[in-house]
Amino acid sequence: MPIEIGKDTSHYDKCRTLMNVHKTHHNTRMIFFAVVILLNLYLSIALPVKYHLSLIYGNFLQGVTFGIFAVLYSVLLLVLLLFAVPEKPKLLALAILLIISGILLDFIYLITGIPLLIACATEIPECKQALWIKKQEGYPHFNERFDEQMRYYQKDYQPDHLLDNIHEAQMLDAPECSSPDFTVRPKDQMPEIPDISDDIKVNLNKKGF
């Protein structure tokens, strides 16, 4: 009898640990990103608007317009950073390019843009680890019990009867036979109904009618 060799799961603990560390670091970075971006909004919106209040109306309107675009840019950047997990390095690269573009367009000050870039750079080593984890057997659960359930209980369902082209199928004709309790006999085999009129007349005569 051949001996079944079990699957190697020695890397499961290491992969699970790295994934949990990546998740914790990403959540910490998101808090940092949110604080820095809010600070940058205050520097790029509140201060310019207060400054333009003392100037002519045209400059004030220009400052308000710039502030609207700054808000939209900040929201887009924050959402992109939220989804830029280590498993998606392309989103991280796009976020870095967006931060650099924001610095060049004055949407982000250097005092806030540089910390954002440094925080993004700390995720690059984790992206390399995440790419290695995705190639390992057992990804993304790395759970022996889950593998066993998938092996024995999550097999594809195979129906006994296929339902392909069911709209083209024809119904079988039912056999032309009636129920034994409701069998109709031919007319010539029907029993004759007795005539009881004579018996009724005899009984009436006996009673004096």
Side-chain angles (χ1 to χ4, degrees):
M1 182 177 179
I3 300 176
E4 183 180 358
I5 300 177
K7 184 171 61 174
D8 183 18
T9 60
S10 58
H11 61 287
Y12 276 19
D13 290 338
K14 179 180 179 181
C15 293
R16 285 197 302 263
T17 302
L18 286 176
M19 292 177 67
N20 291 331
V21 170
H22 293 172
K23 184 177 180 180
T24 301
H25 289 176
H26 180 71
N27 293 336
T28 304
R29 276 191 294 265
M30 282 307 304
I31 297 175
F32 176 78
F33 288 147
V35 172
V36 174
I37 289 176
L38 288 177
L39 176 62
N40 183 80
L41 276 177
Y42 175 78
L43 296 177
S44 59
I45 295 177
L47 294 182
V49 169
K50 290 180 180 179
Y51 172 76
H52 287 300
L53 282 176
S54 60
L55 301 178
I56 60 177
Y57 179 77
N59 290 336
F60 173 73
L61 183 60
Q62 182 180 1
V64 172
T65 304
F66 177 82
I68 294 175
F69 281 103
V71 170
L72 295 177
Y73 168 84
S74 300
V75 172
L76 177 61
L77 177 60
L78 192 60
V79 171
L80 187 59
L81 290 171
L82 176 63
F83 290 100
V85 293
E87 291 81 4
K88 300 177 180 180
K90 292 182 179 180
L91 292 181
L92 178 63
L94 184 60
I96 293 175
L97 291 177
L98 193 62
I99 294 173
I100 297 175
S101 301
I103 295 174
L104 296 177
L105 296 174
D106 292 333
F107 286 138
I108 297 181
Y109 287 91
L110 279 177
I111 193 175
T112 54
I114 292 178
L116 290 176
L117 291 176
I118 295 175
C120 290
T122 59
E123 191 173 344
I124 295 178
E126 295 182 358
C127 290
K128 297 179 179 179
Q129 294 177 351
L131 292 178
W132 175 82
I133 292 174
K134 292 177 67 174
K135 297 178 181 179
Q136 304 307 309
E137 188 176 3
Y139 178 84
H141 302 285
F142 296 112
N143 187 290
E144 294 86 352
R145 185 175 180 182
F146 179 83
D147 294 341
E148 183 178 356
Q149 290 177 350
M150 290 295 295
R151 189 181 304 115
Y152 293 106
Y153 303 108
Q154 298 295 328
K155 296 181 179 179
D156 294 337
Y157 173 72
Q158 299 292 338
D160 296 333
H161 304 283
L162 298 178
L163 301 179
D164 297 338
N165 300 324
I166 192 171
H167 59 281
E168 299 177 359
Q170 295 181 356
M171 294 185 62
L172 299 176
D173 295 334
E176 296 182 358
C177 58
S178 58
S179 174
D181 297 335
F182 300 95
T183 302
V184 180
R185 297 181 180 180
K187 186 175 181 180
D188 55 352
Q189 298 181 6
M190 293 289 292
E192 295 182 358
I193 300 176
D195 188 5
I196 62 174
S197 59
D198 296 336
D199 296 338
I200 295 175
K201 292 179 181 181
V202 173
N203 292 331
L204 292 177
N205 290 333
K206 289 181 179 180
K207 292 181 180 181
F209 290 99

